[in-house]
Amino acid sequence: PLAMAAADEHHEEASPLLPPPADEKLPPAQDPVKGCADGVPVVMGEPVAAPDGAAPRESWDSGILSCLGRNDEFCSSDLEVCLLGSVAPCVLYGSNVERLAAAPGTFANSCLPYTGLYMLGNSLFGWNCLAPWFSHPTRTAIRRRYNLEGSFEAFTRQCGCCGGLAEDEERREHLEVACDLATHYFCHPCALCQEGRELRRRVPHPGFYGRSVVVMMPPTEQTMGRAM
């Protein structure tokens, strides 16, 4: 009878309906359920730290009015860019597109249409008012490729206004494209020169890709000697 009573008591203690004794260790708690909601990790229904945001935008290497480049550094190519932008903007635009595309042969496809619009605008209206509509997408492509700060974003940062428009990525990009067009339309030679300086500091000329340089050495002086 004593053995049966002990067995019954042990059975009652082991019953899952009764609370565990104080000296019995509880099983370790399980990890909370983890998942993802819209790409953000979620733990127990609460979002944790969101993934890192986009990299901060960089500033242009030189200002739009820095005709000879930065104040602290002078590059020999900056003078060439300034002269081309003032005298032959069609050549500078074709060179910029060729560097941006990183493929030889795109110079003529860009320079010739620009030249036609340049001559047509000067003939009909007396100034270059048609070519900027054709060339401003290049500025947008440079800004997007190298994550550069646009004119609208720089304006809102300096003036502290229109913060709501700057936070909306889609609306901000539409305004930046409009600012790229306005920059080319009202400051066309300066915009071309700024883009030329930016690309020359970032991208080598595509004509230099994969070309080996052969150096011709003059023959050494030979003397006649008596055979031993």
Side-chain angles (χ1 to χ4, degrees):
L2 295 177
M4 294 180 61
D8 294 337
E9 183 180 359
H10 181 72
H11 177 72
E12 291 178 358
E13 292 178 356
S15 176
L17 300 179
L18 297 177
D23 57 348
E24 185 176 353
K25 296 183 179 180
L26 295 176
Q30 297 180 355
D31 295 334
V33 180
K34 297 183 179 180
C36 289
D38 297 332
V40 179
V42 176
V43 178
M44 298 297 293
E46 295 293 335
V48 297
D52 296 337
R57 291 179 178 84
E58 301 180 7
S59 301
W60 289 77
D61 184 81
S62 58
I64 193 171
L65 299 179
S66 302
C67 298
L68 297 179
R70 295 174 295 188
N71 296 329
D72 58 341
E73 182 180 346
F74 177 81
C75 294
S76 60
S77 61
D78 293 342
L79 180 60
E80 178 189 353
V81 168
C82 182
L83 293 176
L84 287 177
S86 303
V87 179
C90 55
V91 177
L92 179 58
Y93 173 71
S95 175
N96 292 345
V97 175
E98 189 176 22
R99 285 179 183 270
L100 185 64
T106 57
F107 176 83
N109 296 333
S110 304
C111 182
L112 293 180
Y114 180 95
T115 304
L117 293 175
Y118 178 87
M119 297 178 63
L120 184 62
N122 283 275
S123 300
L124 297 180
F125 304 101
W127 65 295
N128 184 20
C129 59
L130 298 180
W133 294 86
F134 175 74
S135 61
H136 85 274
T138 304
R139 186 176 186 86
T140 304
I142 296 173
R143 180 174 50 80
R144 290 176 178 175
R145 174 175 295 186
Y146 302 112
N147 195 27
L148 300 176
E149 186 180 38
S151 302
F152 176 75
E153 188 175 4
F155 174 78
T156 57
R157 178 175 52 82
Q158 294 176 0
C159 299
C161 60
C162 304
L165 295 176
E167 293 177 357
D168 190 345
E169 191 72 19
E170 184 176 358
R171 297 177 64 183
R172 182 189 60 78
E173 184 59 29
H174 288 312
L175 292 173
E176 292 291 6
V177 173
C179 289
D180 293 339
L181 173 60
T183 303
H184 265 250
Y185 197 78
F186 295 105
C187 304
H188 185 61
C190 297
L192 287 180
C193 291
Q194 185 187 27
E195 296 161 12
R197 292 190 299 268
E198 189 75 27
L199 289 173
R200 292 192 180 212
R201 285 177 168 83
R202 291 180 179 270
V203 184
H205 195 276
F208 297 148
Y209 290 158
R211 291 189 178 183
S212 58
V213 179
V214 179
V215 179
M216 301 297 295
M217 299 295 295
T220 58
E221 185 179 357
Q222 298 181 359
T223 58
M224 298 294 292
R226 180 179 298 177
M228 298 299 296

